Amino acid sequence: MIRVLSCLLLAGAWQAAQAAVPFEAAADLYQAAAVRGQVRPALATMPKHIRQMFTVSGGEHLTDVQLGALDAAAKRGFRIDVFEPSAIEAFAHNLDPATVAKAQAFLASALGRQMVADDVALAALGEANIDEVMSGALAAPTTPRRDALIERLERAAMSTESTVQVFLSMGEAVAVGTAVGSGLDPGAVRERARKSVDATRAGLEQNMRESMRRLMAYGYRDMSDADLEHVLKFLESAPGKRYVTAYNAAMDAGFDAMGRRCGERLGESLRELAMAQADARAVGTPADPATPAAPPPPPSP
């Protein structure tokens, strides 16, 4: 059974009294929802996505050394052991005992177990297949009634809002972490990131909503309409709504922690590279042409 990491218990025990439920109860619910199984498949793709964030926002060619630093930082930051302590802590702070009991009962039911299994299977499809599902190239059979149920389900789970929030906060965390690691002013970077988030959130949600519904429809393609209605009965209840809020907060906190870890490591690496070249120039040693003269700017989320 998944438990809160020992380092979290030792270093953050003083926070336990402030949490709405014990960390162990949140960790048990985290395991019942198979969050680890849903998050882990995405982590291998993060070096590529971090590269894209920098190349798009920086608008410049990155050297092989810089790209290597990006990849190394992403591999070091986007790890399940970085994700879980912050995610479980956020879960604990956003739950209450009644919600834990109701959610555990639902997830332990046959339908709850099927929903969790479908969530894990969808996450394991692979990036190429997920892209096909989100674009509509790969789709499950549907009916007008089923489309209406999926629309309600997507709204109840706040899937689009949560996905966009994770993407934006992760980008902000990488940018701020990179500034900290590079020795730059994180406050200025954070302010620019917040402005970017405010300007792009509504548009991203509008563009993502239909894709998220396609993803949900495909993931739950083996559920009957009656099954979907029972899932909705839980998600639209008071405990279900609180569970959704807590679950999404956990995902946001976990990706934020990974983004910060990645950014800080990246900033440190780029600063070390720039300092090494400056030292080489000071003593008249020819600089390695692959070494950057200065780190690229932090990405915009």
Side-chain angles (χ1 to χ4, degrees), residues 252-273:
D252 188 32
F255 274 92
D256 180 81
M258 292 190 295
R260 280 187 283 110
R261 174 73 63 86
C262 169
E264 289 168 5
R265 178 56 188 158
L266 175 59
E268 291 168 1
S269 297
L270 295 176
R271 182 169 58 172
E272 290 168 2
L273 290 171

Side-chain angles (χ1 to χ4, degrees), residues 25 29 54 59 65 69 78 84 99-100 109 127 140 149 169 171-172 177 179 194 218 238 253 264 276 281 291 294:
L29 191 57
F54 272 84
V65 174
F78 286 91
E84 287 187 326
T99 297
V100 171
S109 69
E127 190 173 17
L149 289 171
S169 63
E172 179 180 338
R194 294 286 166 82
Y218 188 82
E264 289 168 5
R281 286 177 173 173
T291 303

